[in-house]
């Protein structure tokens, strides 16, 4: 269950309260997020939509601990991350967050296997345990037979699958997807979305996704729209935007 | 080291750039090693000098000769165990490029002051009996394929240009394998009989052995005071100070080597630093992803440093290997003009440490940049 009115309880996997983010650009202060509230339960699949510059990626970065808010709090699975030091936040990310980027961001000099293995190098797993995890993750994304291929030997869809395998290999608490299909053709995009749906449906993963594509967003359980720094839920918001603003 | 695969994969990402960087590092290290070897060769006299030996020269300079009568007067000073005198013969063998040091030695006392030169007794006895006799160092004999019994003509450049002939009566070795085995000794008596009258009954310098090295200052002072206000005032110094003074006759080698070495060092720093800076800039996005998935800032710094150190060590090892092969050849070509050039294990180890330090220093700035890079900003640039 996803709520944006701050009415969630302490059982929520992700609990955001009064989140603000302000940037300074050329002496001018730009408030991207304004007192945003969000509650996401385990196993939810949430899509964030909104026009360019609305703060979707900023929100994702804050939820992933890649950036720090100007005010407000983010609690994930009982850990409040907003006051963590840089090094603690890095450790927290390694344990709890799986990132899936639009541009895949694989290391080109490593094979699919080695790319997927990277997050596990930060753990204390033995070499044989790492191998099991990597092979399982690659099998889940359907690339068990491509594990020794380099990114340049894979199609865009396959590269994104490797990214997904890398995101899930350490069994993180939730996945953050920033335009996961933005660089793919429709067929590949459908395959990737089917895979993400499978991660949610079959493996109970919690997924938060930013997208511009309504077709992709329709695959999520809930679609939230970012408008003027706050989240509004579903179609009503879109209609209100189309009708002439959030007022 | 779990990230070694990533480090090596990154190293070989741009093979041409890697080869060029390693190549320039190797060439620079060959030059650096060569300079260090020359410096060491000039300092070797200082390093192996006996702590219990003093050298007495004419205060005006090494080219001024002293009366042979000084020997007994020096020997009479308390604390002096033995005194020997030496002369510089300054000849060439067959051709001017065949130059090597020839010393006119004091047969009676030479072995007392230089026990580290080992001459078999039968060789020495034959030499003592033979006024035209000579003894050569093992390496010198090897260089010219001499053997005991050979007749050696030496053309002197100092005493009228005549050719003097000597019988090779013996070969000496040294206690340490890197000792000076390139000298040629002839007898003072034979020399004294054949030089112009102005040179007769003179010594180029005196070498004296002390009973106790702690007396060096006192004995040196006593000698110089003894000959003060004479026609040949003396300057007495420890053998190491004399060796350093002798090396300086070639010019300020140390300063020259230090200057060239510094230029090489900073050039290397710039070449490797530039390579690493470009490499890190090209991989901004990848480093950001590594940070996003939980690689710590310190580990990112380590990855960059490991890469630059690996480049430096590869280049360093290649350079040292080249130097190891080239220095004996160069040393052979320069024999006589410079002291023997030896690339010791210590110098090889220092070369590797130097390479490591250059690698670490050149990777430091790009590494700190990568460490401080904000993931959000870096991902935005991808």
């Amino acid at each position: 269950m996803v709520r944006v009115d701050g009415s969630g309880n302490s059982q929520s996997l992700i609990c955001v309260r009064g989140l603000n983010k302000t940037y300074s650009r050329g002496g001018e202060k730009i408030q991207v997020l304004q007192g945003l509230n969000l509650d996401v339960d385990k196993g939810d699949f949430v899509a964030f939509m909104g026009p360019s510059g609305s703060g979707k990626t900023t929100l994702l970065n804050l939820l992933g601990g890649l950036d720090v808010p100007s005010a407000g709090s983010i609690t994930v699975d009982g850990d409040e991350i907003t006051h963590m030091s840089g090094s603690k936040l890095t450790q927290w990310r390694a344990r709890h967050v799986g990132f899936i980027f639009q541009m895949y961001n694989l290391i080109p000099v490593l094979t699919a296997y080695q790319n997927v293995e990277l997050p596990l190098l930060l753990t204390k797993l033995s070499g044989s345990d790492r191998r099991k995890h990597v092979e399982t993750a690659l099998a889940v994304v359907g690339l068990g037979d491509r594990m020794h291929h380099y990114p340049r030997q894979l199609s865009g869809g396959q590269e994104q699958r490797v990214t997904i395998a890398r995101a899930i290999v350490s069994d993180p608490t939730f996945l953050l997807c920033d335009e996961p299909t933005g660089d793919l053709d429709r067929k590949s995009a459908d395959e990737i979305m089917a895979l993400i749906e499978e991660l949610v449906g079959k493996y109970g993963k919690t997924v938060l996704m930013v997208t511009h594509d309504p077709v992709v967003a329709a695959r999520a359980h809930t679609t939230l729209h970012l408008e003027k720094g706050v989240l509004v839920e579903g179609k009503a918001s879109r209609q209100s935007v189309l009708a002439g603003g959030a007022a | 080291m779990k990230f070694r695969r990533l480090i090596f994969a990154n190293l070989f990402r741009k093979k041409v750039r890697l080869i060029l960087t390693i190549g320039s590092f190797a060439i620079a290290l060959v030059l650096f090693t060569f300079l260090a070897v020359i410096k060491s060769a000039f300092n070797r006299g200082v390093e192996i000098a006996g702590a219990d030996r003093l050298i007495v020269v004419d205060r005006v300079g090494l080219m001024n000769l002293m009366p042979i009568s000084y020997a007994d007067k020096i020997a009479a000073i308390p604390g002096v165990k033995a005194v020997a005198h030496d002369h510089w013969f300054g000849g060439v063998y067959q051709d001017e490029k065949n130059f090597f040091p020839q010393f006119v030695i004091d047969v009676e006392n030479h072995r007392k002051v230089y026990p580290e030169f080992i001459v078999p007794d039968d060789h020495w006895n034959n030499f003592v009996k033979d006024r035209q006799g000579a003894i050569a160092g093992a390496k010198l004999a090897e260089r010219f394929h001499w053997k005991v019994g050979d007749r050696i003509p030496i053309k002197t450049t100092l005493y009228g240009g005549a050719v003097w002939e000597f019988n090779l009566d013996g070969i000496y070795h040294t206690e340490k394998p890197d000792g000076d085995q390139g000298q040629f000794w002839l007898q003072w008596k034979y020399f004294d009989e054949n030089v112009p009258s102005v040179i007769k009954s003179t010594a180029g310098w005196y070498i004296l052995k002390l009973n106790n090295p702690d007396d060096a200052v006192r004995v040196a002072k006593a000698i110089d005071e003894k000959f003060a206000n004479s026609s040949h005032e003396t300057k007495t110094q420890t053998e190491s100070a004399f060796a350093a003074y002798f090396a300086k006759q070639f010019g300020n080698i140390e300063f020259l080597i230090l200057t060239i070495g510094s230029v090489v060092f900073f050039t290397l720093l710039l070449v490797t630093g530039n390579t690493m800076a470009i490499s890190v800039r090209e991989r901004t996005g990848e480093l950001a992803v590594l940070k996003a998935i939980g690689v710590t800032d310190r580990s990112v710094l380590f990855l960059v440093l490991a890469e630059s150190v690996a480049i430096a060590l590869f280049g360093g090892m290649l350079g040292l290997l080249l130097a190891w092969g080239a220095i004996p050849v160069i040393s052979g070509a320069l024999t006589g003009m410079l002291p023997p050039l030896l690339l010791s294990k210590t110098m090889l180890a220092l070369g590797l440490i130097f390479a490591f330090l250059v690698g670490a220093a050149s990777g430091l700035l790009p590494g700190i940049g990568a460490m401080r890079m904000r993931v959000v900003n870096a991902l935005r640039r991808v």
Side-chain angles (χ1 to χ4, degrees), chain A residues 152-169:
Chain A
R152 64 176 181 278
Q153 298 168 320
L154 301 171
S155 68
Q158 287 172 329
E159 280 195 74
Q160 193 60 297
R161 284 168 182 269
V162 176
T163 310
I164 293 170
R166 183 178 67 187
I168 61 172
V169 72

Side-chain angles (χ1 to χ4, degrees), chain B residues 260-271:
Chain B
I260 300 173
S262 304
V263 172
V264 172
F265 176 80
F266 283 107
T267 307
L268 274 182
L269 215 58
L270 293 177
V271 168

Side-chain angles (χ1 to χ4, degrees), chain B residues 216-227:
Chain B
V217 175
R218 181 186 59 76
V219 173
K221 198 175 169 200
I223 294 170
D224 292 343
E225 279 175 1
K226 190 170 194 72
F227 301 111

Side-chain angles (χ1 to χ4, degrees), chain B residues 321-340:
Chain B
L321 196 68
L322 289 174
W324 185 72
I327 281 173
V329 178
I330 296 168
S331 181
L334 295 175
T335 304
M337 285 185 267
L338 286 177

Side-chain angles (χ1 to χ4, degrees), chain B residues 41-93:
Chain B
F42 277 101
N43 284 340
R44 196 169 308 126
V46 180
E47 287 158 12
I48 63 172
D52 59 350
R53 274 198 296 255
L54 295 180
I55 307 291
V56 184
V57 295
D58 191 289
R59 180 166 287 280
V60 175
L62 201 53
M63 296 309 289
N64 274 45
L65 306 175
M66 291 174 289
I68 201 71
S69 58
Y70 277 20
D72 291 338
K73 293 173 184 169
I74 292 170
I77 291 172
V80 176
K81 188 176 177 184
V83 181
H85 53 82
D86 258 0
H87 240 296
W88 181 253
F89 188 69
V92 293
Y93 172 63

Side-chain angles (χ1 to χ4, degrees), chain A residues 23 61 66-67 90 93-94 99 101 103 105-110 113-114 117-119 121-125 130 166, chain B residues 2-3 5-6 9-10 12-13 285-297 299 374-376 379-380 382:
Chain A
Y23 289 113
N61 288 338
L66 295 176
D67 203 353
T90 304
R93 280 202 303 272
F99 289 97
F101 304 101
M103 300 304 294
N105 287 338
L106 295 172
I107 310 285
V109 290
L110 298 180
Y113 178 95
Q114 290 162 349
E117 191 188 21
L118 277 174
L121 297 179
L122 306 167
T123 67
K124 289 180 179 169
L125 287 177
R130 289 204 301 269
R166 183 178 67 187
Chain B
K2 290 178 178 175
F3 285 107
R5 200 180 285 158
L6 179 60
N10 279 329
F12 294 99
R13 182 185 286 241
E286 291 169 32
L287 291 169
V289 169
L290 288 178
K291 285 183 158 197
I293 64 172
V295 176
T296 61
D297 290 348
S299 297
R374 289 193 67 222
V375 182
V376 174
L379 285 175
R380 208 174 285 151
V382 176

